[in-house]
Amino acid sequence: MERLWGLLQGATIYKRVEGTQQGRLEEEEEDIEEETKPPAHFCPMELRGPEPHGSRPGQQTLGLWTAAGRRATPYLFLMALLIFTGAFLLGYVAFRGSCQACGDDVLVVSEDVNYETGPDSHQGTLYWSDLQAMFLRHLGEGSLEDTIRQTSLRERVAGSAGMAALTQDVRAALLRQKLDHVWTDTHYVGLQFPDRAHPNTLHWVDAAGKPGEQLPLEDPDVYCPYSATGNATGKLVYAHYGRREDLQHLRARGVETAGRLLLVRLGVISFAQKVASAQDFGALGVLIYPDPADFSQDPHKPGLSSHRAVYGHVHLGTGDPYTPGFPSFNQTQFPPVQSSGLPRIPAQPISADTASLLLRKLEGPVTPREWQGWLPASPYRLGPGPGLHLGVNNHKASTPISNIFGCIEGRSEPDHYVVIGAQRDAWGPGAAKSAVGTAILLELVRTFSSMVSNGFQPRRSLLFISWDGGDFGSVGSMEWLEGYLSLLHLKAVVYVSLDNAVLGDDKFHAKTSPLLISLIENILKQVDSPNRSGQTLFEQVAFNNHSWDAEVIRPLPMDSSAYSFTAFAGVPAVEFSFVEDGQVYPFLHTKDDTYENLHKVLRGRLPAVALAVAQLAGQLLIRLSHDHLLPLDFGRYGDVVLRHIGSLNEFSGDLKARGLTLQWVYSARGDYIRAAEKLRKEIYSSEESDERLTRMYNVRIMRVEFYFLSQYVSPADSPFRHIFLGRGDHTLGALLDHVRLLRSSGSGALEVASSGVAPSLGFQESRFRRQLALLTWTLQGAANALSGDVWNIDNNF
């Protein structure tokens, strides 16, 4: 027993060591205290029976040791099991923390992940739940509703004296907060305004072709910026929404559009797309009106007056169209070119009352049922009708616009920016158009400033921006992107747009890059619905549709500032919108877009809906600015490619008959999928505490969107180089439009071309091969870049 006691004295004890590296175990030899040792004369007492005959002392000692071993074995086994279990649990927790709960699709941070405060902070570790509670506590102290009301009362047309005053006030508001930097950028851009001395006109034309009776254009201030100026005379044709398929239908019905003026309804596509389609089909001019069928007729909600026309620019692009591809800083030298998106035909908004007068004069076949609207006493015929004369006298003016910036610098990655912005200008009161977004932006600035004062330090920098010139086609944001493009694609992580955030309260839409879909889903599950008590936003949108993303996710439209960030600069972006169910907000881009009307449309829930947008955007900013690994779902684009390839597969037989194949596209997609999976596995097995490795992964993740900008076309000639969202012959949409010509009836000049490429005369093999090469090598380049270093690239191309 003395030997057994000695062995127990030297037993190795494992204990957990608390420190910066969690889960590390350390061995230490623990000696038994001197006072616990037995005295030298100690002799354990035993009960002994009679010794067997012939037994020897050695056999007695061996028996004693055997009995002691049997008694000690269960305890030693239990001790070993306890040590193994503890080590396993500690290792699991440490590994789980380092991976940040890696999933199959997106890297997310669970609620137990800690967010360390800075060295000067007196608080302890901040967890996600702590940051979330801190954000919601400080956000509740703001006054969103009052800011929306006050902003909507101020004149703020780009370039006006009222806008200059508002610019100073917003800048002063940012300076009052705890921001690291506040500054303003001024651009001198070409904007188009109506000529007060020579207003735009619309006349009937008599049999001799001379202008006759003038038709009412009730408000001379309502116009289409960037319309071609001059006169257009021709017979009138009704063209539904002015989509290319609508114009195709007219031609199929024997109604000619070339040489005509087109009457089109507001909605479905932008003003610029309507005018571009009309121009491609040979029309001489376009009149755009709001039809009552496109708006809610709820007697309990306010509606658009029949004598109101709706404002909208017609530049098929973004930014200053007179300096395409170049930033409009003062004294900058520009080449003598204009944007190819400027229309060559005039366009003018008219009211529903004026449209009704025109429709009553139309002849020709009756429109399809789905083309008919709700204008009273209007038969809705296709035309043609009597001749019209349209005169547009808008004039161009060089105008200074100012973007305002505020920044909270990040702690670990200050050179990586999470950007959030809102349009500040408005043609009218602009309550929904820009007052809501401006109010939410200022409230988020105040909230994050308060959080910084209470110990919050983001890993990445937060950049808050108030844009000018938004009503002219995201001019302010696009000019900033053009000025800093070479810098931003390396540093901008994500852009969040607050424009058009509250246009109703029935449904929620997120117009976004695929990279953000999984993160949006996660955040929706943590924000309460503003109009369904006890439900989260996710539960609201998924209530009647198990496929929540089909209900919520939409592609980025060109008339959003977020579009330029993704399609031009290669930065993933998102724009949130609460909208009415089935009907659009009727007052957007009118003088009736007031705080009072917006409040009535939402039946008093404007503050709650605006607060929900602020909560959604704010929690998104926390995750993007403070997660160790960027929560961008880089694997999603593999599904996007697969979906488009599914459309191309329909034509594989036609291509094979010509000796052509899509095999290279399939191969490039496979390489991208493998690169994404390989990166995911690397991250899964990495150690979070390795800051160098984490930064390397973040750089690869944040540039995924940029990888899909075609490097084989010029930004000056094709500014929207994104192969999925862009416009031009390099896009996947253009390739699909071209392949469809294989089955056309020969009228290739009139085929639908959603990609923004002028229709060709038919399928051309040389053009197809060039398009396939542009698409394939851009996709292959994205796969190679995602793989990391050149020695890690393993493709089967």
Side-chain angles (χ1 to χ4, degrees):
M1 289 300 293
E2 290 181 0
R3 291 179 62 187
L4 178 61
W5 183 263
L7 289 172
L8 290 176
Q9 277 186 296
T12 299
I13 307 296
Y14 289 87
K15 75 173 184 179
R16 178 168 178 170
V17 178
E18 301 294 339
T20 57
Q21 295 182 341
Q22 290 187 349
R24 182 170 63 88
L25 296 178
E26 146 178 300
E27 292 184 1
E28 70 173 23
E29 301 293 330
E30 183 172 291
D31 296 329
I32 307 299
E33 299 292 340
E34 285 294 326
E35 58 270 23
T36 64
K37 292 184 179 181
H41 60 272
F42 175 79
C43 181
M45 296 179 64
E46 300 180 87
L47 292 176
R48 298 185 179 182
E51 292 184 0
H53 180 72
S55 63
R56 294 190 300 268
Q59 291 177 333
Q60 294 177 2
T61 304
L62 180 61
L64 290 173
W65 275 106
T66 301
R70 290 197 186 103
R71 289 194 298 268
T73 296
Y75 297 104
L76 292 175
F77 176 76
L78 288 175
M79 182 181 295
L81 181 63
L82 181 62
I83 292 171
F84 173 78
T85 303
F88 174 79
L89 291 175
L90 287 172
Y92 172 76
V93 171
F95 178 76
R96 183 170 177 260
S98 68
C99 180
Q100 297 190 3
C102 301
D104 290 338
D105 294 322
V106 64
L107 299 168
V108 297
V109 176
S110 58
E111 294 187 2
D112 60 348
V113 173
N114 61 303
Y115 294 86
E116 296 83 1
T117 57
D120 299 329
S121 173
H122 298 293
Q123 291 188 340
T125 299
L126 290 175
Y127 292 87
W128 163 244
S129 56
D130 300 323
L131 288 176
Q132 191 178 39
M134 180 191 292
F135 170 74
L136 294 176
R137 182 172 66 253
H138 289 289
L139 182 68
E141 298 172 359
S143 181
L144 282 168
E145 186 176 16
D146 186 60
T147 306
I148 296 171
R149 181 191 293 111
Q150 295 300 324
T151 304
S152 66
L153 293 175
R154 302 183 66 161
E155 179 205 6
R156 55 190 194 284
V157 176
S160 67
M163 172 53 85
L166 180 61
T167 299
Q168 293 302 318
D169 291 346
V170 170
R171 184 174 184 274
L174 297 188
L175 288 169
R176 287 194 294 270
Q177 304 305 322
K178 188 174 182 179
L179 303 178
D180 296 301
H181 310 283
V182 175
W183 74 98
T184 302
D185 265 0
T186 299
H187 301 268
Y188 294 80
V189 298
L191 303 182
Q192 201 184 65
F193 298 96
D195 189 337
R196 301 291 181 122
H198 304 90
N200 300 339
T201 58
L202 183 65
H203 292 82
W204 292 115
V205 173
D206 60 24
K210 295 182 179 180
E213 178 188 356
Q214 183 171 348
L215 287 156
L217 298 178
E218 291 91 347
D219 190 343
D221 291 336
V222 184
Y223 70 112
C224 287
Y226 302 124
S227 164
T229 57
N231 302 309
T233 303
K235 292 186 176 182
L236 186 68
V237 169
Y238 173 62
H240 200 208
Y241 290 112
R243 298 168 298 184
R244 293 182 180 274
E245 53 264 41
D246 296 332
L247 303 184
Q248 276 284 89
H249 179 80
L250 286 173
R251 176 55 66 89
R253 295 284 297 272
V255 179
E256 184 58 64
T257 57
R260 315 286 195 187
L261 295 181
L262 300 188
L263 176 65
V264 301
R265 284 161 60 168
L266 177 75
V268 181
I269 59 175
S270 69
F271 277 46
Q273 289 171 304
K274 297 175 191 291
V275 175
S277 297
Q279 177 177 288
D280 288 343
F281 279 75
L284 298 179
V286 182
L287 302 171
I288 304 172
Y289 81 98
D291 197 291
D294 297 313
F295 301 100
S296 172
Q297 301 302 308
D298 188 342
H300 301 292
K301 292 184 179 181
L304 186 66
S305 170
S306 62
H307 66 268
R308 282 290 190 202
V310 179
Y311 163 102
H313 78 88
V314 292
H315 172 217
L316 191 62
T318 58
D320 182 357
Y322 304 108
T323 60
F326 298 89
S328 299
F329 290 114
N330 198 18
Q331 307 302 324
T332 301
Q333 299 299 309
F334 307 112
V337 294
Q338 293 185 351
S339 168
S340 60
L342 280 175
R344 299 186 301 274
I345 61 175
Q348 175 66 31
I350 62 174
S351 67
D353 285 346
T354 301
S356 183
L357 295 175
L358 299 177
L359 283 169
R360 291 172 197 168
K361 298 287 187 177
L362 288 182
E363 300 172 352
V366 176
T367 65
R369 180 179 298 275
E370 60 271 18
W371 284 36
Q372 296 181 14
W374 290 352
L375 287 177
S378 300
Y380 285 92
R381 292 184 178 275
L382 296 177
L388 284 174
H389 176 84
L390 172 64
V392 173
N393 303 306
N394 305 335
H395 70 280
K396 171 191 169 185
S398 180
T399 307
I401 62 171
S402 297
N403 300 323
I404 310 168
F405 303 82
C407 176
I408 297 174
E409 279 198 35
R411 170 176 53 86
S412 302
E413 301 175 43
D415 56 333
H416 290 164
Y417 318 143
V418 178
V419 188
I420 183 167
Q423 175 182 327
R424 187 173 72 257
D425 67 295
W427 171 80
K433 179 59 181 176
S434 64
V436 170
T438 297
I440 294 174
L441 179 72
L442 293 176
E443 180 62 19
L444 288 174
V445 170
R446 189 198 61 78
T447 300
F448 277 94
S449 175
S450 299
M451 291 175 65
V452 169
S453 298
N454 283 270
F456 170 64
Q457 287 190 334
R459 289 179 60 87
R460 302 170 194 92
S461 297
L462 285 167
L463 190 56
F464 303 91
I465 311 178
S466 176
W467 304 114
D468 199 352
D471 262 2
F472 291 83
S474 304
V475 175
S477 58
M478 184 63 174
E479 294 307 305
W480 185 67
L481 288 172
E482 288 177 336
Y484 302 100
L485 179 62
S486 59
L487 176 75
L488 290 174
H489 87 269
L490 299 173
K491 296 180 179 291
V493 176
V494 165
Y495 175 68
V496 180
S497 170
L498 297 174
D499 297 339
N500 304 310
V502 181
L503 303 176
D505 66 344
D506 293 326
K507 289 190 172 183
F508 173 79
H509 289 161
K511 305 160 192 173
T512 183
S513 159
L515 295 174
L516 289 162
I517 292 176
S518 296
L519 179 59
I520 291 170
E521 177 183 4
N522 184 274
I523 299 297
L524 286 177
K525 294 177 179 178
Q526 303 183 55
V527 176
D528 292 335
S529 168
N531 54 10
R532 294 191 183 180
S533 179
Q535 285 189 346
T536 64
L537 266 178
F538 183 83
E539 291 169 336
Q540 175 183 333
V541 300
F543 182 73
N544 294 320
N545 194 335
H546 295 295
S547 178
W548 77 273
D549 50 346
E551 177 75 15
V552 171
I553 302 302
R554 299 289 185 274
L556 287 166
M558 184 180 285
D559 57 359
S560 165
S561 62
Y563 178 83
S564 296
F565 271 84
T566 300
F568 175 73
V571 177
V574 60
E575 179 177 288
F576 302 118
S577 294
F578 279 92
V579 298
E580 291 292 283
D581 187 6
Q583 303 291 336
V584 299
Y585 175 69
F587 306 116
L588 202 65
H589 293 131
T590 72
K591 290 186 176 179
D592 291 332
D593 184 15
T594 62
Y595 166 82
E596 290 74 20
N597 277 334
L598 181 60
H599 197 273
K600 290 176 183 176
V601 167
L602 270 73
R603 298 178 294 276
R605 288 199 290 268
L606 174 58
V609 178
L611 184 64
V613 175
Q615 291 177 357
L616 185 67
Q619 294 189 53
L620 197 73
L621 293 182
I622 293 175
R623 290 290 308 277
L624 289 167
S625 67
H626 217 67
D627 278 14
H628 282 73
L629 282 166
L630 284 171
L632 300 180
D633 189 355
F634 48 84
R636 278 272 183 172
Y637 265 115
D639 300 331
V640 173
V641 178
L642 182 61
R643 186 168 63 250
H644 284 88
I645 286 179
S647 301
L648 289 171
N649 280 339
E650 179 185 346
F651 304 94
S652 59
D654 302 87
L655 292 171
K656 187 176 181 180
R658 291 173 174 258
L660 303 172
T661 178
L662 296 169
Q663 181 57 42
W664 300 121
V665 177
Y666 304 150
S667 179
R669 176 196 175 263
D671 285 339
Y672 182 85
I673 294 296
R674 284 186 289 273
E677 184 61 27
K678 182 179 179 181
L679 177 58
R680 182 177 291 117
K681 289 180 178 178
E682 287 181 22
I683 294 172
Y684 189 85
S685 60
S686 66
E687 180 61 46
E688 181 190 54
S689 60
D690 189 335
E691 286 289 340
R692 174 181 169 276
L693 195 58
T694 299
R695 181 179 176 85
M696 288 174 58
Y697 289 144
N698 282 335
V699 168
R700 286 162 67 181
I701 293 170
M702 68 181 280
R703 293 182 188 170
V704 167
E705 200 79 67
F706 178 77
Y707 300 154
F708 291 107
L709 299 187
S710 178
Q711 306 301 306
Y712 306 101
V713 295
S714 165
D717 299 330
S718 300
F720 304 119
R721 295 178 292 150
H722 202 288
I723 60 174
F724 300 116
L725 297 173
R727 297 181 66 82
D729 219 32
H730 59 283
T731 63
L732 199 153
L735 177 64
L736 184 57
D737 289 336
H738 190 194
V739 171
R740 288 194 182 106
L741 297 180
L742 287 167
R743 300 182 182 178
S744 70
S745 58
S747 56
L750 298 179
E751 291 299 315
V752 176
S754 59
S755 58
V757 180
S760 68
L761 297 178
F763 183 83
Q764 300 172 350
E765 183 175 326
S766 59
R767 179 187 170 210
F768 171 80
R769 289 183 180 277
R770 180 178 184 276
Q771 286 179 304
L772 190 63
L774 291 175
L775 176 68
T776 301
W777 282 108
T778 301
L779 184 57
Q780 186 64 46
N784 293 344
L786 195 62
S787 296
D789 296 304
V790 291
W791 50 83
N792 289 327
I793 297 175
D794 180 20
N795 61 56
N796 296 322
F797 203 64

